[in-house]
Amino acid sequence: RKEVEQDPGPFNVPEGATVAFNCTYSNSASQSFFWYRQDCRKEPKLLMSVYSSGNEDGRFTAQLNRASQYISLLIRDSKLSDSATYLCVVNEGDTGFQKLVFGTGTRLLVSP
Amino acid sequence: SQTIHQWPATLVQPVGSPLSLECTVEGTSNPNLYWYRQAAGRGLQLLFYSVGIGQISSEVPQNLSASRPQDRQFILSSKKLLLSDSGFYLCAWSSTGGGMNTEAFFGQGTRLTVV
């Protein structure tokens, strides 16, 4: 079983649509969680951290369900510029360093 | 501000040749440093990490090695490349003691093709 699993997609949506990505992780001891964004042939960049109470950053909302070991990302009012691969990331390190375990990513294509 | 430099951006090497990829970080001290590899159609895999000079931890058995000769320098090497070493290699850093939600910053990556 993969440590972090994501639907690879692609998700093809029109501009303005709402789209949701899901992710499950296997290590119940994991303490912190993230969504990273990776544009084609570029390095990943942090989109947002995911907190237990859920958190929102503009059009993006992240949720965490520790009991189900499930993470989600909701994107509202999709823009063309949201087209990218979204990586679910789990930190299996400790406070001293980040041992980030990445999912394979979900590809999003937003069309006009 | 902190920056991370990684080079070269693209590399084509024959099977059996050596490899040396270099990564340097500016604007911070004693960072945690990481090497990841992303094979075609696959997720990022952590290869090595380092919490200090000369301290290297390997996550997976492989044909590669890493070294940290200076605080902000991280080098990925191989004595003899294999076809399976092809991929997108990414160096990253994070702050030491920044807490569980500390962000990791990635270099622009080296796209290695072994032929």
Side-chain angles (χ1 to χ4, degrees):
Chain A
R1 182 185 174 187
K2 292 181 182 176
E3 292 177 86
V4 180
E5 294 206 53
Q6 293 182 252
D7 182 340
F11 284 53
N12 290 283
V13 303
E15 270 187 294
T18 296
V19 61
F21 304 140
N22 303 318
C23 165
T24 57
Y25 61 96
S26 60
N27 187 344
S28 59
S30 299
Q31 293 296 313
S32 55
F33 310 88
F34 311 87
W35 284 100
Y36 274 70
R37 170 188 168 136
Q38 186 174 24
D39 292 306
C40 188
R41 302 178 72 81
K42 298 288 188 180
E43 75 275 21
K45 294 183 179 178
L46 179 67
L47 178 66
M48 59 195 304
S49 299
V50 186
Y51 301 114
S52 297
S53 55
N55 50 297
E56 188 174 306
D57 182 1
R59 298 182 292 108
F60 299 85
T61 301
Q63 298 276 356
L64 169 64
N65 184 323
R66 285 187 185 271
S68 301
Q69 296 178 204
Y70 171 92
I71 306 163
S72 67
L73 176 68
L74 183 77
I75 304 176
R76 292 181 300 279
D77 188 23
S78 298
K79 311 291 185 190
L80 294 176
S81 58
D82 293 334
S83 296
T85 297
Y86 291 82
L87 305 170
C88 178
V89 186
V90 173
N91 180 17
E92 295 187 352
D94 57 28
T95 54
F97 76 101
Q98 305 286 75
K99 183 181 175 184
L100 300 180
V101 180
F102 285 76
T104 53
T106 299
R107 192 171 171 210
L108 173 65
L109 299 171
V110 182
S111 54
Chain B
S1 64
Q2 301 91 353
T3 56
I4 178 169
H5 301 280
Q6 188 183 341
W7 67 92
T10 306
L11 193 59
V12 180
Q13 291 283 100
V15 168
S17 63
L19 173 73
S20 181
L21 302 181
E22 188 165 342
C23 171
T24 59
V25 181
E26 295 178 357
T28 187
S29 296
N30 194 31
N32 294 320
L33 295 171
Y34 313 84
W35 278 111
Y36 284 85
R37 176 172 61 202
Q38 187 174 36
R42 301 184 66 181
L44 275 77
Q45 181 184 37
L46 179 62
L47 302 176
F48 301 94
Y49 65 88
S50 172
V51 298
I53 295 175
Q55 299 180 60
I56 308 294
S57 296
S58 173
E59 282 295 296
V60 292
Q62 58 206 308
N63 184 40
L64 303 167
S65 62
S67 62
R68 184 172 178 174
Q70 299 181 46
D71 181 43
R72 290 170 290 177
Q73 184 184 30
F74 206 22
I75 297 172
L76 183 70
S77 303
S78 174
K79 292 182 179 178
K80 288 185 178 182
L81 285 168
L82 306 172
L83 287 174
S84 57
D85 291 325
S86 294
F88 189 39
Y89 288 82
L90 290 151
C91 180
W93 76 272
S94 67
S95 289
T96 308
M100 297 300 292
N101 286 304
T102 298
E103 181 176 356
F105 298 90
F106 287 82
Q108 293 185 327
T110 296
R111 200 161 299 277
L112 171 66
T113 304
V114 182
V115 296

